[in-house]
Amino acid sequence: MKDKIRDIFLNLGAEVCGVANIDSFINTPKGFHPAEIYSDCKSVIVFAKALPKGIAQVSPRIIYKHFNDFGPVELDRIAYLAAIEIERSYNGFAVPIPSDGPYDYWDTDNMEGRGLISMKHAAVLAGLGTLGKSTLLLNRQYGNMLNLGAVLTNLNLLSDTPADRICIEGCSQCIENCPVNAINVDGVNQKLCRNNTYASNDRGFDVVNCNKCRTKCPMAFGK
C-alpha cells in the first residue's frame, strides 16, 4: 500500500516521496506535532517538487522569486489531489498541509515564522534527505533545489529508511557567502535573512535579493 500511495504523488508530478510514521516525531516542538493538527494521524507523507536548476544561474530578483513562489502552488495542488485519491482508494482520511503559507506562528520581534509543521524536518524523518548547515534539505539526487509538501493520514505506514548525509564535512560555503552573517552553528537568524532577502521594486512587485545559501552550496544540485 505504501508503494501505491507513493506512486499517487509521483504520478501527480512529485519528484520524490517518503513516509514518516507518527512514532518518529519524538522531538517535535509543542504546537507543531502532526497529531496536534490531526489527532488520529498515524503517518506523514512528505513529497517534493524540484526547481529548475537554471533559476539558480541568474539573478534571484525576478525569475527565481517568481518560480520559487510558484512551487507552493504546485505542491498544494498535488497534496489536494493526492489526499482525495488516498481517501478514495484506501478508505482512510488524508489531510493536505499548506506547503508554505498560510500559517499562524509569527514572532514579530525576531521576524520568525513557522509552518504548521516543519516540512524539512518531516522530510528528514521520511528519508528524503538531511539538513545542510544552511538548514536547507539536501537530497542526494536533487540537492537543495526542492520545495516540500506533506499530507497527514490515519493510515499506519512504516517509515522509510533515513538518507545518508551529503553535506560536506568541513564545508562552510553557505556560512561564508551569507552577506549578513545570518547562518551559524545554531541555525539561521530569520530577521537578518528576511531584511536582506525580501524587498519590492519600483513597480511594486516583490523581489528576492539573495539566495546564496542555496546557490553557493557544492551540493546544490545533488551528489
Side-chain angles (χ1 to χ4, degrees):
M1 182 172 64
K2 186 171 78 170
D3 288 341
K4 291 180 179 179
I5 288 174
R6 194 192 322 272
D7 285 342
I8 292 172
F9 288 86
L10 298 180
N11 290 336
L12 285 169
E15 265 71 52
V16 292
C17 178
V19 172
N21 190 272
I22 197 66
D23 292 340
S24 302
F25 292 82
I26 55 177
N27 296 315
T28 305
K30 182 174 174 56
F32 300 94
H33 195 283
E36 294 180 86
I37 297 172
Y38 172 40
S39 61
D40 200 28
C41 180
K42 298 292 190 300
S43 310
V44 180
I45 305 163
V46 189
F47 64 98
K49 188 74 182 168
L51 291 162
K53 292 186 289 186
I55 68 172
Q57 307 300 306
V58 298
S59 164
R61 280 180 63 80
I62 302 296
I63 297 172
Y64 174 86
K65 169 69 170 72
H66 179 74
F67 288 104
N68 192 44
D69 282 359
F70 178 76
V73 177
E74 178 67 2
L75 290 165
D76 289 351
R77 178 193 69 86
I78 293 172
Y80 174 79
L81 294 176
I84 292 173
E85 185 59 32
I86 289 168
E87 293 182 344
R88 178 185 296 126
S89 298
Y90 298 103
N91 196 33
F93 289 103
V95 182
I97 301 298
S99 62
D100 187 13
Y103 53 79
D104 282 320
Y105 182 92
W106 178 250
D107 180 337
T108 301
D109 291 339
N110 294 311
M111 296 181 68
E112 180 183 349
R114 295 183 184 181
L116 299 181
I117 66 170
S118 172
M119 293 287 182
K120 59 187 178 183
H121 288 95
V124 170
L125 296 176
L128 297 188
T130 58
L131 299 186
K133 299 177 187 72
S134 64
T135 76
L136 292 172
L137 184 79
L138 293 177
N139 174 272
R140 176 170 288 274
Q141 183 175 358
Y142 295 99
N144 62 33
M145 298 293 287
L146 287 172
N147 284 333
L148 300 167
V151 171
L152 316 183
T153 180
N154 64 340
L155 300 174
N156 195 7
L157 308 172
L158 291 175
S159 293
D160 283 308
T161 304
D164 294 331
R165 182 175 174 83
I166 65 170
C167 185
I168 300 170
E169 189 71 28
C171 176
S172 57
Q173 288 297 304
C174 58
I175 297 172
E176 293 173 7
N177 281 283
C178 179
V180 292
N181 299 313
I183 306 172
N184 56 56
V185 293
D186 296 320
V188 176
N189 183 315
Q190 289 195 27
K191 186 172 185 177
L192 290 175
C193 177
R194 289 179 190 275
N195 282 329
N196 175 67
T197 301
Y198 303 110
S200 58
N201 62 16
D202 292 341
R203 177 62 177 80
F205 291 115
D206 291 335
V207 296
V208 164
N209 289 319
C210 181
N211 61 353
K212 286 185 171 62
C213 58
R214 181 166 250 168
T215 59
K216 296 296 183 180
C217 176
M219 293 290 111
F221 303 132
K223 187 169 184 179

